[in-house]
Amino acid sequence: MTRPVPPMYRVIAGLLRPLLRATMRRDWRGAEHLPAEGGFIAAGNHLTNVDPLVFAHYLYNHGAAPRFLAKHTLFRVPVVGWVIGKAGQIAVERDSASAVAALEPAREALAQGLCVGIFPEGTFTRDPDLWPMTAKHGVARLALSARVPVVPVAQWGPQDVLARYGRTLHVVPRRTVRVEAGPPVPLEDLYGREDDPQALREATERVMAAITEILAGLRGEEPPARPYDTRRDGDPRAAELAARAERRRARRTRTSPRTERDA
């Protein structure tokens, strides 16, 4: 059964796919591991802002146009919110009191036989050598409650097109972008335990280990003995992010309306 693709999704894909083909060489592998029908989660590593486009291009071309989880406030942005809504992307109430309830829209998409795309790390990896770092438990919570396959997908090469935290695209000469999917991660023994912290940790570690193993093959290198953990190893960008937040606060203070007493 063909998975439905909203017209707006097709319009966006029609605009972006030729551009991606023109600017990147593709080395795609493992498509046989993507379920031909039924809902599943595609979980990938996160290197740079180009990742979602590369990730979606790979999945779309193999009949599994991914729906990404997006903060619900993004859907309130004029034009942008309308476009992503019409493209079938998933609004998630991240500030919901219940982590399980926050993922309900994603579970509904999976029940409809769709592919849900997730970057379990939640942000760019902080590992100095770009190996996957420890991940959040959202992918595990969703997989264990929805009881659907989780297909690990590794990417290598997007960081050559746009460096992590970079702003300049490098498209001449064209860089090769490698994407490979692996067999679904065995999680059946943990199904129904989405409220068990130990089960969530175990499921998350299995997913990230699978992604890392595929990435090691793409890179032809051995991964580190343990994943980078910002709680243990620190966040290399902590000082920079704090300074950026302070600059934003200062700008808001300067531009805020003066009170009558200040006038």
Side-chain angles (χ1 to χ4, degrees), residues 14-68:
L15 294 172
L16 291 178
R17 288 167 70 209
L19 180 62
L20 293 172
R21 287 195 296 266
T23 55
M24 304 178 199
R25 291 189 177 93
R26 294 174 294 168
D27 180 359
W28 287 354
R29 313 173 190 178
E32 67 274 12
H33 297 300
L34 302 175
E37 58 183 29
F40 75 96
I41 298 169
N45 59 314
H46 205 358
L47 303 165
T48 175
N49 276 325
V50 173
D51 292 345
L53 296 180
V54 173
F55 194 69
H57 191 194
Y58 173 83
L59 293 167
Y60 184 95
N61 273 33
H62 291 108
R67 273 43 168 203
F68 290 104

Side-chain angles (χ1 to χ4, degrees), residues 160-213:
D160 296 329
V161 178
L162 179 67
R164 179 176 54 176
Y165 319 126
R167 298 183 179 181
T168 303
L169 288 170
H170 302 281
V171 295
V172 179
R174 287 193 303 165
R175 271 64 171 179
T176 298
V177 173
R178 297 177 170 86
V179 185
E180 182 173 351
V185 181
L187 297 175
E188 292 83 357
D189 59 311
L190 301 175
Y191 281 173
R193 296 174 57 189
E194 62 272 13
D195 294 323
D196 180 347
Q198 183 176 347
L200 292 176
R201 284 194 297 272
E202 175 65 24
T204 303
E205 289 172 3
R206 291 183 196 179
V207 171
M208 296 311 297
I211 295 172
T212 302
E213 182 179 0

